[in-house]
Amino acid sequence: MGDDRSTYHSPVMLEEALEALQCRPGGLYVDGTVGGAGHAYEILQRTSPDGRLIGFDLDEDALQEAGGRLAPFGERAELIRGNFADAAPALKERGIGEIDGALLDLGVSSHQLTSPERGFSFSSDSPLDMRMDRSQRMTAFTVVNSLPQGDLERILRQEGEETAARKIAGVLVERRRQAPIRTTGELAALVAAAVPGYRRRQRIHPATKTFQAIRIHVNAELASLEKAIPGIVAVLKPGARFVIISFHSLEDRIVKQTFREFERGCTCPRQVPVCICGKKPLLRVLTRKPVLPAEEEVSRNPRARSAKMRVAERIRS
């Protein structure tokens, strides 16, 4: 094991992800969500002396933390401020046509959740923000206070799988007519008041799905994932592994379905006797069911409990 002294973020399913990646010396790997560099550090450790890593993140705090942690590796590590959805064109700009493996850890970092000024969590009463990239204009405040009620309901239902979406959206719109909803505490309290009573007695906070939905929408997380997977598949060498760790069913569904589409290749209707689309299989899915974290990890790091890891391998087209 390498250096895990960083308290910025505890990497989830570290050993499982590294085993799946099959890191080797001399390889070039992409960490599309570098965060505090927990996974990245170990990738560079295990590809010594000449393996390289390119890490992407939208969060300036994350890049600063990762830069410090990866400094001992010198030029073997390159960090790029950007969305993992744009990884393929960013690699192309650097003259890189192929990579030996890629990792996406789609979880929100511990640092983001525990930094009150970031407004990701209802554990403290802080300004509604939730931006991964703090240079963008849209914030959680914008979503909650500006969108029409129908759009707000749709976001809560589709991106948070919130069954009480209509009631919550109505309560929020009614409340903002009196005064803007400015803090995470205000939002959490309004949601809790809007949901059925039994939900307020459950272990999971009744505002959890609402916060998830707004965060996903603010950061266009699902659209980014849908764009990222094909781009990264296109630059994988034959035999290269693609590892994705997701944290809710919406992400996992996208990963599962997209991996299967690349494994199937042909998209012609079944009634067509001969393939006319010309699409060839590009991936071999190695995880028919997602790999889950060990009980010991979940007890040590409760945020790992919802993690699901899927792995695919690039084949020759």
Side-chain angles (χ1 to χ4, degrees):
M1 289 293 292
D3 176 12
D4 57 2
R5 291 172 294 174
S6 172
T7 57
Y8 185 94
H9 179 66
S10 179
V12 172
M13 301 184 73
L14 179 61
E15 288 300 321
E16 295 91 336
L18 290 164
E19 181 180 344
L21 268 179
Q22 294 191 331
C23 302
R24 59 177 179 77
L28 173 59
Y29 297 86
V30 165
D31 186 339
T33 48
V34 74
H39 290 106
Y41 186 99
E42 284 295 334
I43 290 171
L44 287 164
Q45 281 278 79
R46 299 184 189 203
T47 59
S48 294
D50 54 351
R52 295 168 55 210
L53 178 130
I54 298 178
F56 294 83
D57 210 292
L58 284 167
D59 190 329
E60 287 183 333
D61 290 352
L63 291 176
Q64 184 175 356
E65 173 72 16
R69 193 156 187 231
L70 301 181
F73 299 102
E75 294 183 356
R76 292 177 55 205
E78 180 181 358
L79 299 178
I80 299 171
R81 185 182 179 197
N83 193 316
F84 60 78
D86 301 316
L91 294 172
K92 187 176 180 180
E93 287 175 7
R94 287 158 176 77
I96 298 170
E98 290 185 317
I99 61 175
D100 295 281
L103 168 69
L104 300 179
D105 172 359
L106 303 174
V108 180
S109 77
S110 304
H111 176 78
Q112 289 167 334
L113 289 171
T114 57
S115 297
E117 71 276 8
R118 303 300 299 271
F120 279 95
S121 173
F122 42 72
S123 60
S124 62
D125 191 22
S126 51
L128 279 172
D129 193 325
M130 302 193 195
R131 292 173 296 173
M132 305 281 188
D133 177 3
R134 285 189 280 184
S135 69
Q136 76 174 41
R137 296 182 66 181
M138 182 190 292
T139 66
F141 178 89
T142 313
V143 172
V144 170
N145 290 286
S146 302
L147 292 186
Q149 183 171 334
D151 290 349
L152 199 53
E153 178 185 341
R154 176 183 54 78
I155 289 167
L156 297 180
R157 192 181 308 283
Q158 294 182 0
E159 301 184 66
E161 299 180 302
E162 173 54 73
T163 55
R166 178 173 296 179
K167 181 68 182 297
I168 293 169
V171 167
L172 297 183
V173 169
E174 182 62 31
R175 169 63 174 77
R176 76 191 192 192
R177 288 195 182 109
Q178 303 165 31
I181 302 165
R182 297 189 179 278
T183 71
T184 56
E186 287 180 71
L187 176 60
L190 288 165
V191 173
V195 301
Y198 74 89
R199 295 230 346 231
R200 293 190 286 275
R201 297 187 294 271
Q202 294 179 334
R203 180 176 60 86
I204 297 174
H205 193 286
T208 298
K209 291 184 176 182
T210 293
F211 272 65
Q212 171 189 299
I214 295 169
R215 190 203 77 227
I216 287 173
H217 186 76
V218 166
N219 297 290
E221 294 177 30
L222 301 181
S224 294
L225 181 60
E226 289 173 342
K227 181 181 176 183
I229 297 176
I232 292 173
V233 168
V235 296
L236 293 173
K237 290 180 181 177
R241 297 284 183 84
F242 194 176
V243 179
I244 305 181
I245 303 171
S246 62
F247 288 83
H248 55 74
S249 59
L250 296 170
E251 292 173 338
D252 182 60
R253 193 176 304 134
I254 290 171
V255 177
K256 176 182 177 180
Q257 292 176 349
T258 310
F259 274 4
R260 284 184 174 178
E261 288 169 8
F262 278 108
E263 183 177 52
R264 185 171 63 247
C266 175
T267 56
C268 295
R270 291 178 180 235
Q271 61 268 28
V272 176
V274 179
C275 174
I276 57 174
C277 74
K279 293 183 179 179
K280 303 293 184 184
L282 295 179
L283 293 179
R284 179 165 65 97
V285 177
L286 303 180
T287 48
R288 293 301 161 189
K289 292 184 178 180
V291 179
L292 304 179
E295 290 183 11
E296 185 276 331
E297 178 176 7
V298 173
S299 64
R300 186 181 73 250
N301 179 14
R303 289 193 179 117
R305 69 179 179 270
S306 57
K308 293 181 179 181
M309 185 180 81
R310 294 187 185 270
V311 185
E313 183 177 272
R314 183 69 150 88
I315 62 175
R316 294 190 181 277
S317 54

